[in-house]
Amino acid sequence: DGTIVPTGSVRVATARANFYIPPQKIADVLRKVVDEAALIAVIGPGAGVKANRTVYQEVKEDARFRVQVLGGRGENYDRYPEYWDGGSAPPNLESFGAVLVSE
């Protein structure tokens, strides 16, 4: 798409988009896991946490993984960004993601 990505950036892929964390933000955004378990961060709205609760529970009980659900269904940001059909201005999932990355 012609995007220029700074050297040393980390690519984070989701089902809908790719995000690039610039080198100066990596230490702030990505956290080392102190144990051997892989950390899985799930954006709650749209992730099927309730409908797929059995699967999420199995993953949570597996010592190889740690699951962290971020956000929840019905929150004020639980809507698509403006560039989606029927999307909305912030707060939306894109602005929620930006807040999470900035923390």
Side-chain angles (χ1 to χ4, degrees):
D1 67 359
T3 303
I4 303 296
V5 178
T7 301
S9 295
V10 173
R11 179 176 164 256
V12 178
T14 68
R16 301 243 186 243
N18 291 313
F19 297 92
Y20 294 90
I21 311 298
Q24 68 273 20
K25 287 284 212 171
I26 291 172
D28 297 328
V29 175
L30 301 179
R31 308 273 190 270
K32 289 185 178 180
V33 177
V34 294
D35 57 20
E36 296 288 324
L39 175 60
I40 301 171
V42 177
I43 304 298
V49 175
K50 185 175 179 181
N52 299 305
R53 79 173 64 90
T54 303
V55 174
Y56 281 100
Q57 190 60 40
E58 286 177 20
V59 174
K60 284 181 180 181
E61 291 172 2
D62 189 321
R64 297 174 298 168
F65 306 106
R66 290 189 303 148
V67 178
Q68 182 179 8
V69 177
L70 306 168
R73 181 176 184 229
E75 298 290 338
N76 64 346
Y77 52 77
D78 185 9
R79 52 195 191 160
Y80 292 112
E82 292 176 290
Y83 52 84
W84 283 64
D85 288 342
S88 302
N92 55 38
L93 290 169
E94 181 177 40
S95 63
F96 177 60
V99 168
L100 293 174
V101 167
S102 71
E103 291 179 344

